[in-house]
Amino acid sequence: MPHPLETATDPASLNRVVIEPVSRVEGHGKVTLLLDEHRRVQQARLHIVEFRGFERFIQGRPYWEVPTLVQRLCGICPVSHLLAASKACDAFVIGHASLTPTAEKLRRLLHFAQVLQSNALHFFHLASPDLLFGFDDAVAHRNIVGVLQDERELGLQGIRMRKYGQEIIRLLTGKRVHGTGSVPGGFNKPLSVADRDLMRADIGQIIAWCDSALALARDLFLRGQPEQGRFANFPSGFMSLVRPDGAADLYDGALRVKDAQGQLIVDQVDVHDYQQLIVEEVKPWTYMKFPHLRALGPEHGWYRVGPLARINNATYLDTPRAEAARAEFIAWGGGRPVTASLAQHWARMIDTLHCAEGIARLLDDPDIIGTDLMATGTPLREGIGVIEAPRGTLLHHYRIGDDDLVEYANLIVSTTHNNTAMNEAVRSVAAEYFDGREITEGLLNHIEVAIRAYDPCLSCATHAVGKMPLRIEVVEADGQLADVLLKHEDGTLERPMAHAAPVDRTPANWPPLDA
C-alpha cells in the first residue's frame, strides 16, 4: 500500500515547498513537500540530487588500487571505505586465510579511531545546536559557532575528541584524511612504540570526555520527553553486525536483523550471502537506492542501520562502561528496541564510549606493536567486505578477472540502507508538524533535524544512477549556461533548452536539479 503521504492527488494542483540544501549533513540533498490548498501535506520526499559513479569508474582498475580509490568517496569517513574495501580485497591476496593478529588489531584500532572522530564531529558540530538551543532557535545562532559562544568548553571538548581520533588515523596511515595503512592482505606499516605511547598518553582523558558526552546526550534526550520520544518515532527493523555470541562488533561478524518488537528476523547471516538477504530498489526521483529484505519485500522489509541499530541489536558490548550505558538505554525502552529517531544521539555516544574503551584495550595489547603484517593464502577472484561504519553497516563487493582488474563492483553504504527510514522520518515529521500550519523556518528545520539524526553521508550513498535522469550543464567562464543535456534511464539523450536567450548561471543562481 502507498504511504498516507504518497497520495494519488494530481501534483499540478498542489503547492510545492522545497528545503534545499539540507544543511549540516555531508553531501547534497533536498526535501520536497506538496501541500494542498488547506496546507495539508500530500507528499513528502527526501531527494538525493548528486551523482558520483564510483561503482563504474573503478572497473578496469587493478584491485590493489581499490581501497585507496574508494576512500575518496568521502572526506569524513574515508577510513570506513578503506577498511571495507581492504576486507573485500583480502580475498584476492589470501583467499579464505585470516589476517595476522597484528594486522587485524591495527585495522581495528584504525576503525575505532574513525568511528570516534566521526561520531564526535556529528554530535558536537552538527546535532548539538538543535539539541542545546531548540529546533526553532535563530539560524545565525543554531550552529557550531553558537555552541562555542554559549558553551565554549563543550564545543572545545568536541573538537579535541575529534582531534584525538584524527591523530590516531594520522599515525597509522600517514595522513588524517585519505591515508593508506590498510592494504589487501594486511597492513603496510607497523606501529612504533613511541607512537603507541603517544596514543596512550591521552586515552584516559578521552574516555572521561566520552563519558560526559554520553551523559549530556542522554540527559538532553530525556529532558525533551515526551516530545523527543514521539518525534520521528516509527517501527522498523534494525540490522547490524554481531559476533557469534551476539556482542556488537564494528569490524567483523555476521548480520543480525531484529523487528520493532525485538524479535529476531534473521541472525548470523554470513556477509557473503548478503544478496540472498537484501535486494536494492530504484525510484525515479532520487539517485539513492532503497535496500530491503528480499523475503519481506519493499513495504515491510526496510530497516535501519547505525548506532541505534547496533545498540538495539547487541546482546552486550564488550567494554564495561559502554555495556552499562547500553543496559540503561535498553531499560529505558522497556526491554524492546528504542525506535525514536532522536534516540540515535544517545546511542551514538554509547557507541563512541565503546570505541574509546576499545582503543585503550588495544593499546595495552602487545600484538599492536608487532611486525608480522602480511598474511598468505590461496587467492580468490571475488571478495566481500562488511564493517560497521559510523553511520551503520557498510558493504563492498568486488570481482576481478584473470588480469587482476576489477570487473564488478557493488557498494551498499550505510546511508543507502537508511534511505527508507529517512524518508519515513521526513513523512512522520511533516504529518505531525506541518498540516494546516503556516510554514516557518523553524518548522522546516524540524524536517532537517529528523534527517540529521541519521548522520547521513549523501555523497557516500550515491553511486548508481538508478532511474533518475542524469543532468549535465555546461557553464561558460562568465557564468552563462552554454548547454544542457539529459540522459534518461533508457539511455536516450535530450537537449531540453533553446539557447536564444542567455541564462544567468553564476554559482549563486544555480538552480536545483529537477525532481
Side-chain angles (χ1 to χ4, degrees), residues 108-127:
R108 286 181 177 271
L109 178 61
L110 180 60
H111 191 33
F112 278 142
Q114 160 68 11
V115 177
L116 186 150
Q117 69 86 17
S118 181
N119 283 355
L121 170 67
H122 179 264
F123 179 72
F124 289 97
H125 290 67
L126 306 182

Side-chain angles (χ1 to χ4, degrees), residues 75-89:
I76 302 298
C77 50
V79 168
S80 301
H81 293 291
L82 174 69
L83 290 174
S86 294
K87 289 185 70 177
C89 293

